[in-house]
Amino acid sequence: MEVRLERATNQDAQSIFNIQVEAFMPLLNTYKDSETNPANETIERVQIRINRADGGFYKILTEDKLVGAICVYWKEDVQFWISPMFILPSYQGKGIAQKTILLVEEMFPQAESRELATLLEEERNCHLYEKMGYSKTGISKKLNDRATLIFYKKIC
């Protein structure tokens, strides 16, 4: 399945927001992490990510259909942060996330490190990131009794 990334614009905000809510709502229902779950964010937050001076949102397209998005920004010139990344539930499990990560890594070859966070309880996400060469940093943040955020880093 062909996957490509395209820089998002303000005109994409509503579509990205809708996909973000659809992708994260099952996690919100499971983990009740209402303060941190992207399903609870506003469209204004999506617009802020789109317009970041130190990065931006990229649409994830397959067969010219918008199926998700990924936000990439740099903490420093060579230290990149990926968050959030999401894909429509009907397109998950098809290798799109893996291809998206590879495309982002190709887009920013100057990165000396890439970092991200995910829920410890989401084993498929953890497996994906570890398969892509990301290692647990040992840092975690308990969100509530059901969910713990863990941090990953990949040294390039």
Side-chain angles (χ1 to χ4, degrees):
M1 181 176 289
E2 181 208 353
V3 174
R4 64 185 176 86
L5 301 181
E6 188 176 293
R7 180 89 187 214
T9 67
N10 285 327
Q11 290 73 30
D12 301 310
Q14 187 66 55
S15 297
I16 289 172
F17 176 74
N18 293 344
I19 293 171
Q20 178 174 303
V21 171
E22 185 176 344
F24 282 103
M25 190 57 72
L27 298 176
L28 178 60
N29 291 335
T30 299
Y31 301 111
K32 312 295 186 205
D33 57 328
S34 57
E35 292 182 26
T36 57
N37 190 296
N40 273 349
E41 292 180 351
T42 64
I43 192 166
E44 289 79 19
R45 181 75 175 121
V46 170
Q47 291 168 327
I48 288 167
R49 285 188 178 119
I50 286 172
N51 293 301
R52 287 186 77 126
D54 61 349
F57 243 139
Y58 293 85
K59 299 182 292 185
I60 302 171
L61 302 149
T62 183
E63 300 165 0
D64 290 323
K65 178 175 173 43
L66 177 61
V67 299
I70 184 169
C71 184
V72 181
Y73 61 95
W74 45 95
K75 292 180 175 183
E76 299 172 13
D77 288 343
V78 294
Q79 183 181 12
F80 286 72
W81 182 262
I82 298 171
S83 178
M85 176 175 70
F86 49 89
I87 297 167
L88 283 168
S90 60
Y91 283 84
Q92 292 175 8
K94 300 178 185 285
I96 295 170
Q98 187 172 339
K99 290 177 183 174
T100 297
I101 291 169
L102 290 172
L103 288 171
V104 164
E105 290 176 353
E106 289 172 12
M107 287 171 61
F108 301 103
Q110 72 273 34
E112 292 178 6
S113 70
R114 297 177 179 91
E115 299 176 50
L116 56 86
T118 193
L119 293 175
L120 173 65
E121 296 78 9
E122 285 298 302
E123 294 176 7
R124 287 178 58 213
N125 289 354
C126 295
H127 176 74
L128 166 70
Y129 297 130
E130 290 169 17
K131 182 168 78 169
M132 299 300 297
Y134 290 76
S135 300
K136 292 177 185 171
T137 64
I139 299 170
S140 64
K141 178 182 177 186
K142 190 151 185 74
L143 300 178
N144 60 31
D145 290 342
R146 298 175 186 220
T148 301
L149 199 60
I150 59 169
F151 293 82
Y152 281 88
K153 186 172 190 171
K154 180 177 184 178
I155 305 295
C156 306

